[in-house]
Amino acid sequence: MNVPGKLGSLYRALLRTLTAWYVLAVMAVAVGVAGGLLAFMFIFPGKPKIGVIEIPYTVISEDSAYSINQFIDYARRDDSIKAVVIKLTSPGGGAASSERLYIETRRLREEKPVVISMDGLVASGGYMMAMGASYSYTQTSSLVGNVGVVAFSDPLIPSLPAENRIFTGPYKMSGFNRREWIGSVDQLKSAFAKIVVTERAGRLRISEDELVQGRIYSGLDAVRLGLADDLGGESDALRKAAELAGISRYGTVDVNLEVMRETVQELDQILASYGTRVDAFDLPAQTGARAPGSVASNETGASDAGGIATLHELRDLIRFGSLEEDREDPLPEFPLNIYRPNIYFLYVGNAP
């Protein structure tokens, strides 16, 4: 290309400058950095995260197990969450509900690392849930263990049924005779012990016979005997979760909060079809103004985590359109309490 006069000289000088090796090197580096940033933004959109699930003192019931499972399910569904830390305090609870949480925790472990941080008390069904984790930490002052079953049955010599009560079959009211009931409870105890022995294989340093005595151990003894992996708290659990997931730079996700947010959004969509919105409700007043992490008493005198109870109450609002406690009894005047478990993996302590 011919450029006349001074303009041609400037053009040639600029061309020599742009083709100099140091200029080309700088441009190559700039292009490389820009390409790397674009690739990172589109292939790795954001740094990996560790999900944190907090379960403050909670007796495991059908309601609380349902809510805890919502947390576990969210952590499983969120692909940005590469590992999960569960902060757990629980004396256990219903046998079926406790086993369900163990199964769901183990299922989550199969997809991403799960580290449990045992706080004040992790016993019986709470300890069973902890068996689903990849790794467990406990504090020296924690109370851990209490492998066993608590059950209630009819007296050795049952009272005669009332004259106005009619039933078919000798076991229609109870489902078992006393011997079968005791045998069933013993089977549950053995199944619980097998879970612990299997999950702690190679680390457990007490016999199965000693395990099923139902003892509870300090955190220090729990680690020494292989019931837990190490002494530590939440920060140790986060570091271990990152190590197991193979990540170094990570953020954290408050799973409890995110599930609550999802629930409120779901409620908002339902209420929008009726021409109103969630912000028209005084939700803190509706749910007892309990902050997440506070403790509330349930109908059995046990305690549930406030955040978990609130989540369940929001679900009730979605399902029933009301938070009233006194819904109509489906079987009025029926003489028995129904839909309540009578077999528990529950630490009851030194009750009077």
Side-chain angles (χ1 to χ4, degrees):
M1 179 177 180
N2 295 321
V3 181
K6 292 183 178 180
L7 186 60
S9 299
L10 290 172
Y11 175 80
R12 285 190 293 273
L14 179 62
L15 186 62
R16 284 195 301 272
T17 302
L18 290 176
T19 55
W21 68 268
Y22 52 85
V23 175
L24 291 176
V26 171
M27 292 175 65
V29 170
V31 170
V33 170
L37 286 174
L38 288 172
F40 186 82
M41 288 172 62
F42 286 99
I43 299 175
F44 304 102
K47 61 183 177 181
K49 300 171 184 174
I50 295 178
V52 179
I53 298 173
E54 185 165 1
I55 307 174
Y57 189 89
T58 302
V59 175
I60 299 173
S61 63
E62 290 183 10
D63 288 351
S64 61
Y66 169 83
S67 297
I68 293 169
N69 191 48
Q70 298 301 299
F71 303 148
I72 294 173
D73 184 62
Y74 180 91
R76 185 187 300 114
R77 289 186 285 110
D78 190 335
D79 292 334
S80 70
I81 294 178
K82 305 303 181 184
V84 180
V85 169
I86 301 176
K87 298 167 60 180
L88 177 63
T89 301
S90 174
S97 300
S98 299
E99 187 174 4
R100 175 189 176 192
L101 290 181
Y102 158 67
I103 292 170
E104 293 300 328
T105 305
R106 185 183 64 186
R107 182 183 167 203
L108 176 61
R109 179 188 74 191
E110 292 170 356
E111 299 185 24
K112 51 193 74 176
V114 180
V115 179
I116 281 192
S117 175
M118 303 184 191
D119 289 336
L121 173 67
V122 178
S124 204
Y127 184 67
M128 175 182 278
M129 177 186 171
M131 289 298 94
S134 313
Y135 202 86
S136 59
Y137 283 94
T138 182
Q139 300 174 91
T140 56
S141 57
S142 299
L143 298 175
V144 177
N146 194 234
V147 175
V149 183
V150 176
F152 301 91
S153 70
D154 292 331
L156 185 61
I157 302 177
S159 58
L160 293 175
E163 292 182 2
N164 64 346
R165 188 176 299 176
I166 301 172
F167 52 92
T168 60
Y171 306 127
K172 177 58 184 173
M173 299 297 290
S174 63
F176 295 86
N177 63 35
R178 186 177 177 85
R179 178 177 296 178
E180 290 170 339
W181 181 253
I182 294 172
S184 177
V185 171
D186 192 63
Q187 286 179 344
L188 288 174
K189 175 201 72 176
S190 298
F192 191 169
K194 292 296 183 186
I195 288 173
V196 177
V197 170
T198 301
E199 296 291 354
R200 305 298 301 170
R203 293 168 287 182
L204 195 64
R205 289 183 285 278
I206 57 174
S207 67
E208 185 173 336
D209 287 341
E210 185 177 353
L211 183 68
V212 297
Q213 289 179 5
R215 293 180 183 274
I216 196 160
Y217 302 90
S218 69
L220 195 63
D221 283 339
V223 173
R224 179 176 61 83
L225 297 173
L227 294 167
D229 290 303
D230 206 348
L231 293 173
E234 181 183 1
S235 58
D236 300 288
L238 285 168
R239 283 193 292 270
K240 187 65 178 181
E243 175 190 331
L244 294 175
I247 57 178
S248 56
R249 296 177 62 85
Y250 59 86
T252 59
V253 178
D254 185 336
V255 175
N256 298 49
L257 182 61
E258 293 305 318
V259 172
M260 185 72 75
R261 195 192 314 276
E262 277 192 350
T263 304
V264 171
Q265 289 173 349
E266 181 182 350
L267 178 59
D268 195 29
Q269 291 173 359
I270 294 172
L271 293 177
S273 64
Y274 293 96
T276 186
R277 301 187 63 83
V278 170
D279 53 19
F281 286 79
D282 185 1
L283 286 180
Q286 290 270 20
T287 56
R290 294 198 298 275
S294 64
V295 175
S297 177
N298 62 23
E299 71 277 2
T300 62
S303 296
D304 284 330
I308 293 172
T310 301
L311 176 62
H312 184 74
E313 287 163 345
L314 286 173
R315 290 291 187 185
D316 275 358
L317 189 56
I318 292 172
R319 288 185 294 177
F320 305 114
S322 171
L323 292 176
E324 295 178 3
E325 297 292 333
D326 54 347
R327 298 191 191 97
E328 183 180 355
D329 189 344
L331 295 174
E333 306 301 327
F334 199 74
L336 300 178
N337 285 327
I338 58 174
Y339 303 130
R340 294 180 184 273
N342 54 4
I343 299 179
Y344 301 87
F345 298 143
L346 180 66
Y347 173 66
V348 295
N350 296 317

